[in-house]
Amino acid sequence: MNKTVSIVVLFFTIFLSCHTDNDDKANNTTVSFNFSHHWDGTPVTNQDFNVIKFTNENGEQLSIERLRYLISDITFTKQSGEVLKTNDYNLVDVTNGENLTFTPTMIIPSGIYSKVSFTFGFKNEKNTDAVYQDLNTASWFVPAMLGGGYHYMQFDGKFINSSSIEQGFNYHAIRAVDTSGSEPIFPQDTFIIVNLGPVTISNDSTFNIEMNIAEWFKNPNTWDLNTYNQMLMPNTTAQIMMFENGQNAFSLKSIE
């Protein structure tokens, strides 16, 4: 009798385990991230590039000629505190309309998450010189004398300067470096953790992420292009100002 009961209990346990495993697999889903861009509410695509048509917080008129940036380490934090992190990265190229939608390779369980976030740029431990061949090919690397690794953003254009002359600017975000040369000093982290807040993820969800390009010029630092326009990569002050202004550049528009 005891032997029969034991067999029944074992069979029931195996059945429940398999059923639970199947349920977990059935709840797994892929998620995608779609990146769009605007200037204080006015949509911006590459069709708007190469024309002086934007005005920043400092009153300077400007154009966008190139805009691309890196996102990495998309992280999903469950309500239990468990963290799921992708190892993927994506170079969003607005100029050429490439990689505006990105699907990480990780499959995650659907459900409620206390936080979803991603990194603008690379965290320091992943920002290693010459490691990523596709980024090398894309000329995304930072010169060794500035610490090596990779850019976070390349944002180029022209503006009307204080002499009413059209002048170029290169708003390039990298890991802030204090001294250039063989032994650069990094005063602080300048990658940005973008927190999209608590979300509910259903099957095949798409996160619609917006970048307000105007934010890079206004909050908390009103950017003066006449002062900060080129040679900004070795400029520690400029890099820290970029880091501060980028804190509110991204937002979650919707999840579909």
Side-chain angles (χ1 to χ4, degrees):
M1 180 66 177
N2 288 339
K3 184 176 180 181
T4 302
V5 171
S6 297
I7 292 173
V8 170
V9 169
L10 177 62
F11 175 80
F12 189 67
T13 301
I14 293 173
F15 174 79
L16 285 178
S17 175
C18 291
H19 185 70
T20 301
D21 287 344
N22 289 334
D23 281 349
D24 288 343
K25 291 177 181 178
N27 288 333
N28 284 347
T29 186
T30 59
V31 293
S32 297
F33 291 79
N34 182 59
F35 293 88
S36 61
H37 308 83
H38 66 93
W39 190 282
D40 283 340
T42 300
V44 175
T45 70
N46 56 5
Q47 298 300 308
D48 300 295
F49 284 17
N50 302 307
V51 179
I52 301 284
K53 63 184 300 183
F54 305 102
T55 303
N56 68 12
E57 190 76 0
N58 203 45
E60 291 138 352
Q61 295 177 296
L62 61 94
S63 68
I64 303 170
E65 295 191 347
R66 177 171 68 167
L67 177 59
R68 54 183 188 164
Y69 55 91
L70 187 87
I71 65 111
S72 64
D73 285 343
I74 298 175
T75 303
F76 305 86
T77 303
K78 293 183 176 182
Q79 290 182 308
S80 64
E82 181 183 356
V83 174
L84 307 175
K85 181 184 293 186
T86 72
N87 288 318
D88 304 290
Y89 59 86
N90 183 50
L91 180 57
V92 180
D93 187 345
V94 186
T95 312
N96 296 305
E98 295 176 349
N99 302 330
L100 300 179
T101 298
F102 168 59
T103 302
T105 55
M106 175 181 283
I107 305 297
I108 67 166
S110 58
I112 300 173
Y113 287 79
S114 61
K115 183 174 68 173
V116 175
S117 64
F118 64 84
T119 301
F120 170 78
F122 277 132
K123 290 183 179 177
N124 298 335
E125 61 269 21
K126 291 189 175 182
N127 199 10
T128 306
D129 214 17
V131 169
Y132 309 102
Q133 186 55 51
D134 58 330
L135 298 181
N136 298 338
T137 301
S139 297
W140 195 244
F141 52 84
V142 171
M145 65 179 297
L146 294 178
Y150 294 89
H151 284 79
Y152 302 159
M153 180 171 68
Q154 291 176 335
F155 176 11
D156 303 318
K158 291 185 170 65
F159 73 103
I160 306 301
N161 66 20
S162 56
S163 300
S164 299
I165 297 173
E166 197 173 278
Q167 179 180 340
F169 71 86
N170 306 111
Y171 195 113
H172 288 197
I174 65 169
R175 177 170 45 179
V177 58
D178 243 344
T179 52
S180 58
S182 59
E183 297 183 0
I185 298 172
F186 305 109
Q188 71 169 66
D189 295 336
T190 46
F191 59 82
I192 299 171
I193 305 298
V194 179
N195 183 1
L196 303 176
V199 301
T200 299
I201 298 176
S202 56
N203 289 338
D204 300 328
S205 295
T206 297
F207 285 69
N208 293 309
I209 312 297
E210 292 184 317
M211 178 205 274
N212 183 2
I213 304 170
E215 280 289 339
W216 293 103
F217 294 106
K218 69 177 182 178
N219 182 31
N221 304 295
T222 300
W223 197 274
D224 184 350
L225 279 170
N226 286 282
T227 302
Y228 298 106
N229 48 68
Q230 294 179 325
M231 296 298 293
L232 301 183
M233 289 172 62
N235 188 324
T236 307
T237 299
Q239 289 301 320
I240 293 173
M241 288 170 62
M242 291 178 190
F243 165 77
E244 293 171 344
N245 283 15
Q247 298 298 317
N248 297 307
F250 294 93
S251 62
L252 176 61
K253 179 181 179 181
S254 63
I255 301 177
E256 299 176 353

